[in-house]
Amino acid sequence: MIIIAYILTLSIGLIGAIIATLPPSATNLAVVKYTSDKSLTKGLHLAYGAALGEVIIAGLALAFGVLAKRIFEKHEWIQITFIVIMIAVGIYFLIKKTTENDSESSSRPKRFINGLLLGGLNIPMFIYWTAIFSISSRYVVLDKNSPWLLILCFLVGVFAGKFGLLYLYGRASEYMTSNFSKFKGTLNKIIGVVLIVAGGIQAIKLLIT
């Protein structure tokens, strides 16, 4: 039974991270963009940081999830700020001209840190992971008082799920860039439209609630 609990906890982190990474976000779009502009290896430097950032968010949600959810829901300006930033970045990508730049834009540590910031500053994920803990409580209880090995299994699952899907995003970007010459030129517009639409959906949700 104990082994099953560990496997189940690992699976919760793994599946939860995959579901969280599937929708377009600043993190997976950044990996796609960086891989297209540079290489998959350099894109994965960012992915490692983003996966670690997701682990930090999930860990903090485990300890302070309910409190963070209350603060986030009480102060609507936090949600509005994220929506405005998302739409503004989307507009930036729409009007940005594609330029060829083969030079090293950043070092490996800087790429890792950029990914860490993208993953770790995604505050709305506090609510997501709090919901995951609530849903999974019928199978296994995850909170700050859980055994440390159980928590470790969960966090390993989060990292594996996040990084694994970002790797697939990077591979897809590499394939598209290599086989479709127009992909790289239209990527900025694709990212811009996706971010604006995602921001619009979040704004509608906020108005409805």
Side-chain angles (χ1 to χ4, degrees):
M1 290 297 293
I2 295 177
I3 296 177
I4 293 176
Y6 289 145
I7 295 174
L8 183 58
T9 304
L10 180 71
S11 300
I12 290 172
L14 181 72
I15 296 172
I18 290 174
I19 294 174
T21 311
L22 275 174
S25 67
T27 304
N28 49 35
L29 291 176
V31 172
V32 168
K33 176 66 176 171
Y34 214 102
T35 300
S36 177
D37 288 346
K38 301 298 179 183
S39 68
L40 177 60
T41 300
K42 294 175 181 177
L44 291 182
H45 294 159
L46 191 146
Y48 279 118
L52 181 58
E54 189 74 29
V55 168
I56 293 172
I57 286 287
L60 291 176
L62 195 66
F64 309 106
V66 176
L67 176 61
K69 182 179 180 181
R70 289 175 182 173
I71 294 175
F72 189 77
E73 292 177 344
K74 183 178 180 181
H75 301 284
E76 291 186 350
W77 65 267
I78 300 177
Q79 303 177 59
I80 294 173
T81 299
F82 274 95
I83 292 171
V84 171
I85 291 174
M86 188 177 297
I87 294 176
V89 173
I91 293 174
Y92 166 77
F93 274 104
L94 278 179
I95 64 177
K96 180 183 178 182
K97 294 182 179 179
T98 303
T99 57
E100 294 292 334
N101 184 11
D102 295 328
S103 62
E104 293 288 334
S105 61
S106 62
S107 63
R108 180 184 298 183
K110 187 173 182 179
R111 290 191 291 271
F112 175 83
I113 291 173
N114 287 340
L116 182 64
L117 292 175
L118 284 173
L121 295 180
N122 192 2
I123 297 178
M125 290 305 295
F126 274 108
I127 296 179
Y128 171 80
W129 284 113
T130 302
I132 291 294
F133 299 144
S134 177
I135 295 171
S136 63
S137 62
R138 67 181 66 181
Y139 306 107
V140 59
V141 176
L142 276 171
D143 56 35
K144 59 184 178 182
N145 297 317
S146 298
W148 67 269
L149 191 55
L150 204 66
I151 295 175
L152 181 61
C153 284
F154 167 73
L155 295 178
V156 169
V158 172
F159 184 91
K162 182 75 172 184
F163 179 79
L165 196 53
L166 288 177
Y167 172 78
L168 293 180
Y169 270 113
R171 291 288 294 180
S173 177
E174 183 182 51
Y175 174 81
M176 294 293 289
T177 301
S178 301
N179 294 276
F180 300 94
S181 57
K182 293 183 179 180
F183 175 74
K184 187 173 182 178
T186 60
L187 186 56
N188 282 347
K189 292 183 179 180
I190 294 173
I191 293 175
V193 170
V194 167
L195 288 175
I196 291 173
V197 171
I201 292 173
Q202 291 299 320
I204 293 172
K205 287 182 179 178
L206 181 60
L207 289 174
I208 292 175
T209 55

